[in-house]
Amino acid sequence: MLGLNVERSAAPLRILCVGAHSDDIEIGCGGTLSQLARRRPRPEFRWVVWSAAGSRAREAERGAQKFLGSAAKGAVQLHEFRDGYFPSHLHAIKDAFERLAREFRPDVVFTHTRDDRHQDHRVVSDLTWNTFRNQLILEYEIPKWDGDLGQPNLFVPLSGSAARRKSKALLNVFGTQRGKDWFSEETFLGLLRLRGIECRAAGGYAEAFHARKILFSL
Ligand SMILES: [Zn+2]
């Protein structure tokens, strides 16, 4: 399969990841971010979680640390918007997005996919497109009850060990979610394996994204 390589330039890549809740970024693109964090020059990350209070804030910090390593230092920005109620906080979240865009100018943005049926995820996806108009936006997917997984068109291959490391890390970091019937290593590995099949990943696994617009500069 033909590949699309992120251009290797001397300047560090600036990467923004946004997630409605603690664990969204890690589930959606943890493996990809871990690989990016090892690039040289080391990318500059901003990791924004919009609903992370109390124990969920500690999990968000640990998640960023686990997946980015030392690149997580100074990258994490947490908000405390009420879980499940983002549509009714739209104005305040939009203002916070505008502030974020003034503080940090990313090259690449990782966000929820537009067709995600979770109301909080959808608000974050919409505001990402609303706010960042000169960036490559890659939308990640979250497996869940809603059954809203689509047909992604951009794949990041992962080795078997990277896929297993990701799945174990999710269970390890997000203790508050372990009681949910879907939150299991099996779910995460299953989706990674399926996406690996779809892109013929050499290691058998992959994370997948929806890339709605890509500028092909020649
Ligand atoms: Zn979520």
Side-chain angles (χ1 to χ4, degrees):
M1 185 179 280
L2 288 177
L4 175 73
N5 290 318
V6 177
E7 194 184 330
R8 305 253 168 201
S9 77
L13 203 59
R14 292 165 68 86
I15 299 169
L16 170 64
C17 6
V18 291
H21 315 106
S22 311
D23 72 11
D24 286 335
I25 296 172
E26 294 87 338
I27 294 172
C29 55
T32 301
L33 295 177
S34 288
Q35 292 194 44
L36 285 167
R38 290 198 295 273
R39 282 169 62 100
R40 292 291 176 268
R42 192 165 73 187
E44 195 181 329
F45 288 92
R46 184 64 61 93
W47 180 291
V48 184
V49 181
W50 299 90
S51 179
S55 54
R56 296 294 273 151
R58 286 189 291 281
E59 289 182 344
E61 295 275 2
R62 275 192 68 205
Q65 170 71 45
K66 193 91 177 173
F67 284 88
L68 297 186
S70 55
K73 198 165 182 287
V76 181
Q77 189 182 95
L78 304 178
H79 296 273
E80 297 190 359
F81 292 101
R82 189 174 170 197
D83 187 348
Y85 288 78
F86 283 19
S88 48
H89 298 294
L90 188 63
H91 288 97
I93 301 174
K94 183 170 168 58
D95 286 346
F97 258 94
E98 294 296 336
R99 283 197 298 279
L100 173 62
R102 285 195 294 274
E103 287 166 27
F104 189 76
R105 290 178 193 279
D107 302 299
V108 187
V109 186
F110 290 91
T111 191
H112 291 279
T113 188
R114 180 187 297 180
D115 298 323
D116 194 309
R117 295 308 301 154
H118 189 295
Q119 66 274 24
D120 296 345
H121 295 182
R122 224 162 40 235
V123 164
V124 170
S125 180
D126 288 350
L127 288 175
T128 304
W129 282 99
N130 222 238
T131 312
F132 296 98
R133 300 194 169 205
N134 294 314
Q135 283 81 7
L136 172 64
I137 295 179
L138 299 180
E139 301 175 351
Y140 57 76
E141 51 182 1
I142 306 280
K144 58 180 157 338
W145 172 86
D146 308 81
D148 53 9
L149 295 178
Q151 193 172 14
N153 58 1
L154 187 139
F155 298 85
V156 176
L158 297 181
S159 64
S161 57
R164 283 186 290 276
R165 252 196 326 275
K166 170 183 171 172
S167 306
K168 279 190 195 320
L170 290 170
L171 268 290
N172 181 269
V173 172
F174 298 103
T176 62
Q177 306 302 296
R178 270 184 231 132
K180 294 187 172 166
D181 57 350
W182 63 275
F183 201 94
S184 69
E185 283 189 52
E186 216 174 9
T187 305
F188 302 126
L189 268 182
L191 182 59
L192 292 170
R193 178 72 184 111
L194 189 64
R195 297 318 187 197
I197 291 168
E198 291 171 354
C199 69
R200 306 189 75 196
Y205 296 85
E207 283 179 341
F209 302 89
H210 297 264
R212 298 187 190 280
K213 293 185 185 185
I214 298 179
L215 198 62
F216 187 23
S217 301
L218 299 172

